[in-house]
Amino acid sequence: MTPDLFADDASAAPAPSTLVLGPGAVLLRGFALPVAQALRDGVLAVAQAAPWRHMETPGGRQMSVATTSCGDLGWVSDRRGYRYAARDPGSGEPWPAMPAVFRSLAREAAAAGGYPGFDPDSCLVNRYAPGTRLSLHQDRDERDLQAPIVSVSLGLGAVFLWGGFTRTERAERVPLQHGDVVVWGGPDRLRFHGVLPVREGAHAQWGDARVNLTFRRAG
């Protein structure tokens, strides 16, 4: 039996467990399951206000991952580079407010991972179709590199690539399931990381998609 079959029933979900990925990084398995439906509602509301789009890379290619954002700042990419902006470049409007359930989950997960007091001002929402991947990269566009990153997995499972401090170092492959949360910061804050191509599948809440919420202190 797979955990996804019971994702709508928090009472049926296994108790969260913790996997240490490094001196400043943990995987909190199932941590987001109790609020999975509320997170889905929040994602749909955000995407309605700021529709998904495939942004352009600085090199002129279209990203395979569809993105949107919420909070004071949203992550954007185009030929001018990667950066944070206060307004959605598609509409010119401010990004949607971060849903309360997003902010509370990010704070609780950060505290559970050893980073109390985390207050995110940005949530990047990525949607992966089957076959979509995210190449190894560092998160270094944020002004405050002392704050941790909180990454929430929803929908289809994926393999998270947890690398070193150079792109050439061999990355550990970490399976992620619906409701898992990865928290990293401190000595692990600038590790390279990515996602292998998402496999075909169907999830009870998300269908044939994987959705990832990444919380940061960007400004």
Side-chain angles (χ1 to χ4, degrees):
M1 293 185 293
T2 62
D4 287 348
L5 293 176
F6 302 96
D8 290 325
D9 182 1
S11 64
S17 60
T18 300
L19 174 66
V20 176
L21 299 177
V26 294
L27 165 56
L28 306 172
R29 292 207 179 276
F31 194 88
L33 286 178
V35 292
Q37 182 59 53
L39 293 176
R40 183 177 186 276
D41 293 343
V43 168
L44 296 180
V46 167
Q48 184 175 21
W52 304 102
R53 74 207 57 198
H54 295 272
M55 292 193 181
E56 186 181 25
T57 69
R61 293 185 297 175
Q62 187 181 66
M63 295 180 63
S64 61
V65 175
T67 69
T68 186
S69 290
C70 62
D72 295 337
L73 296 170
W75 185 86
V76 299
S77 173
D78 55 26
R79 287 182 179 270
R80 291 184 292 162
Y82 305 122
R83 62 193 183 281
Y84 287 92
R87 293 179 178 271
D88 179 347
S91 66
E93 297 295 323
W95 294 101
M98 191 182 299
V101 65
F102 283 26
R103 189 180 301 276
S104 61
L105 174 64
R107 288 172 170 170
E108 291 168 9
Y115 300 95
F118 177 54
D119 186 23
D121 59 4
S122 178
C123 176
L124 171 64
V125 188
N126 285 340
R127 186 182 66 193
Y128 296 75
T132 303
R133 63 188 292 270
L134 190 63
S135 60
L136 283 171
H137 66 284
Q138 292 173 303
D139 285 1
R140 57 185 314 145
D141 299 318
E142 299 74 34
R143 184 174 300 176
D144 183 5
L145 295 180
Q146 300 302 311
I149 295 169
V150 175
S151 176
V152 181
S153 292
L154 301 169
L156 294 178
V159 177
F160 182 58
L161 295 175
W162 179 243
F165 298 99
T166 65
R167 197 183 302 274
T168 57
E169 291 179 65
R170 184 174 181 177
E172 181 182 354
R173 298 186 175 193
V174 183
L176 297 179
Q177 299 297 327
H178 176 67
D180 287 349
V181 181
V182 182
V183 180
W184 70 95
D188 289 317
R189 176 61 175 76
L190 291 178
R191 280 187 181 267
F192 279 84
H193 55 281
V195 177
L196 287 180
V198 174
R199 293 184 177 181
E200 296 277 351
H203 185 267
Q205 286 183 322
W206 291 99
D208 63 348
R210 174 184 187 256
V211 169
N212 181 253
L213 312 177
T214 305
F215 297 93
R216 305 182 179 101
R217 185 71 192 173

